[in-house]
């Protein structure tokens, strides 16, 4: 079997400048766990998944680290985490390191990618 035999063809997407609240609404309405993020040409530039939304300030799930750990943690890591927890646009919280497979890819190969 190949990806084309099991893949969803009518995919719901969001754009990088969409509000996170809009994306959350789409996730719930379509009962999906992730949305591809596309540019103006429709090319995938990222993915927004439920796991990207787990650490959110508005629902009280932001990271709480001990003060001493924050004191030694690089400011770039702290800034990145803050942006993800407080971001209001999809671009601020999406994952932009996307691994994809073509429709001809065997399911065994896709299973291997998912395991990694």
């Amino acid at each position: 079997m190949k990806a084309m035999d099991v893949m969803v063809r009518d995919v719901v997407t969001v754009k990088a400048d969409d509000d996170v609240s809009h994306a959350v609404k789409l996730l719930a309405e379509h009962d999906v766990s992730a949305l591809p993020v596309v540019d103006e040409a429709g090319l995938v530039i990222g993915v927004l998944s439920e796991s990207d939304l787990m650490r959110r300030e508005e629902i009280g799930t932001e990271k709480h680290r001990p003060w001493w750990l924050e004191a030694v943690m690089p400011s770039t890591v702290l800034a990145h985490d803050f942006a993800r927890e407080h971001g209001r646009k999809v671009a601020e919280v999406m994952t932009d390191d996307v691994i994809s497979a073509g429709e001809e890819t065997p399911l065994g190969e896709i299973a291997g990618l998912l395991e990694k």
Side-chain angles (χ1 to χ4, degrees):
M1 285 183 62
K2 297 179 180 180
M4 69 172 70
D5 299 319
V6 297
M7 69 185 203
V8 174
R9 294 187 183 276
D10 192 20
V11 179
V12 180
T13 63
V14 290
K15 295 201 179 338
D17 62 347
D18 285 347
D19 290 332
V20 169
S21 59
H22 172 68
V24 169
K25 185 177 176 183
L26 288 175
L27 287 167
E29 284 177 358
H30 295 277
D31 193 26
V32 294
S33 60
L35 298 167
V37 182
V38 297
D39 64 12
E40 295 303 322
L43 299 174
V44 176
I45 59 169
V47 65
L48 179 71
S49 70
E50 290 174 339
S51 64
D52 292 320
L53 300 170
M54 291 186 69
R55 299 280 187 204
R56 298 292 298 171
E57 177 267 335
E58 65 266 20
I59 60 174
T61 57
E62 68 273 24
K63 288 183 183 177
H64 294 286
R65 296 183 184 94
W67 67 267
W68 58 267
L69 185 57
E70 287 194 2
V72 297
M73 191 167 284
S75 60
T76 54
V77 172
L78 296 173
H80 175 75
D81 286 352
F82 183 88
R84 289 184 66 80
E85 292 168 6
H86 296 81
R88 301 290 179 233
K89 297 293 183 183
V90 168
E92 297 171 309
V93 297
M94 72 181 196
T95 299
D96 58 6
D97 185 19
V98 178
I99 298 171
S100 64
E103 63 182 22
E104 292 287 333
T105 306
L107 291 183
E109 188 177 324
I110 293 172
L113 288 171
L114 290 169
E115 282 183 338
K116 288 182 186 179

